[in-house]
Amino acid sequence: MPLLRVEDLHKRYGTEEVLRGVSLTVVKGETKVVIGPSGTGKSTLLRCINRLTEPDRGRVWLGDSEVTGKGTNLNRIRSQIGFVFQDFNLFTHLTALDNVRLGPLRVKGMGKKEATERAMAELTRVGLADKASAYPAELSGGQQQRVSIARALAMDPQLILFDEPTSALDPELIGEVLGVMVKLAEEGMTMIVVTHEMGFARSVADEIVFMEHGVIVEQGPPEKMFRSPEVARTGDFLRKISELYGDAA
């Protein structure tokens, strides 16, 4: 059974149909990279998966639990689906340590000692143990995003969603965030990543999903998508995005 199943998701904002019947599956340990032009529904897809945005139609399952079911315990589901935003979304009045241990304390009900140990372990995992007492304003963008990743990891999620995690970063800081994500993929973390970083997609993704106009145009392993896509538009987009953002991992 796939870890995640998305079935016929639809979402409309006013007259604009952002998702027009998106279906996909993710198996445990897989890294799926979602690409496509701006405004094509990639971020909306991620937000519908954990119901930060309510889909108009369609169903989502995490394992054998229906995320979109009536009476679903959203706090429990969201504790199992981590979310890393492009703009970090850290609490500015809390230290890195407090940002990371807040979820284990409030949602998982851990004691302070256990939550602190968990948070420090995850800050260490992303290379920021020495920044535990720093506030977001004292951290670079790359460091803030790594704290965001540690915050997601501290909940011991089954799946992490990354919504363009490097798009708000200066070019020289992108590598430190991608490095953490590559390590997570190598460790077997299940991830869906919306990104323009084609080097990451080529080297880390198990499958690339190309979306446009609210639908999946084509999906497949990186080698096939880059070398011999079935749809001409896929190849055209990949060439343009690689030229624009580069192709280095």
Side-chain angles (χ1 to χ4, degrees):
M1 176 190 289
L3 177 63
L4 180 78
R5 285 182 293 149
V6 175
E7 198 173 274
D8 196 32
L9 274 190
H10 289 254
K11 182 63 184 178
R12 178 188 295 272
Y13 294 106
T15 59
E16 185 181 5
E17 200 172 7
V18 180
L19 296 178
R20 301 189 294 129
V22 173
S23 300
L24 57 83
T25 59
V26 182
V27 300
K28 184 176 174 59
E30 184 178 20
T31 297
K32 199 172 290 273
V33 170
V34 182
I35 64 173
S38 296
T40 203
K42 306 182 301 294
S43 295
T44 300
L45 171 62
L46 294 192
R47 294 178 69 88
C48 284
I49 286 172
N50 76 341
R51 286 179 59 186
L52 284 173
T53 294
E54 287 291 338
D56 297 328
R57 196 164 91 232
R59 303 171 78 182
V60 178
W61 285 267
L62 184 69
D64 56 6
S65 299
E66 187 180 351
V67 177
T68 46
K70 290 183 178 178
T72 296
N73 183 332
L74 279 182
N75 283 336
R76 184 179 69 82
I77 288 292
R78 287 176 182 155
S79 72
Q80 296 174 29
I81 303 177
F83 204 117
V84 177
F85 300 86
Q86 58 183 311
D87 53 0
F88 320 139
N89 272 25
L90 297 176
F91 291 107
T92 58
H93 66 291
L94 298 179
T95 64
L97 175 62
D98 285 332
N99 266 285
V100 176
R101 72 180 170 187
L102 189 61
L105 282 169
R106 295 273 182 88
V107 180
K108 286 192 168 284
M110 287 185 186
K112 189 171 183 179
K113 182 175 183 292
E114 183 185 5
T116 300
E117 290 173 352
R118 182 61 194 260
M120 283 304 303
E122 298 305 346
L123 285 171
T124 300
R125 191 174 178 184
V126 300
L128 289 175
D130 61 331
K131 298 294 185 180
S133 60
Y135 289 87
E138 300 170 319
L139 300 173
S140 70
Q143 289 169 335
Q144 289 184 63
Q145 193 60 292
R146 284 190 282 155
V147 172
S148 297
I149 295 171
R151 177 179 59 185
L153 290 169
M155 298 298 289
D156 193 25
Q158 296 187 54
L159 166 72
I160 301 184
L161 310 175
F162 292 84
D163 187 10
E164 300 197 24
T166 61
S167 65
L169 300 179
D170 293 332
E172 67 268 22
L173 301 177
I174 289 172
E176 66 188 61
V177 173
L178 291 180
V180 169
M181 294 169 64
V182 169
K183 183 181 173 188
L184 292 178
E186 291 171 347
E187 292 171 356
M189 175 59 68
T190 310
M191 305 190 293
I192 303 178
V193 183
V194 171
T195 186
H196 293 303
E197 299 294 336
M198 290 300 100
F200 175 85
R202 186 190 284 270
S203 62
V204 179
D206 295 292
E207 184 172 67
I208 294 175
V209 177
F210 174 49
M211 286 183 65
E212 190 168 41
H213 304 310
V215 298
I216 292 175
V217 176
E218 185 174 357
Q219 59 194 96
E223 190 70 13
K224 178 179 183 299
M225 293 288 278
F226 278 95
R227 289 185 180 272
S228 55
E230 293 178 3
V231 181
R233 175 68 181 123
T234 304
D236 182 52
F237 178 82
L238 283 168
R239 278 190 298 275
K240 287 180 178 175
I241 205 76
S242 295
E243 288 169 8
L244 185 61
Y245 289 94
D247 195 33

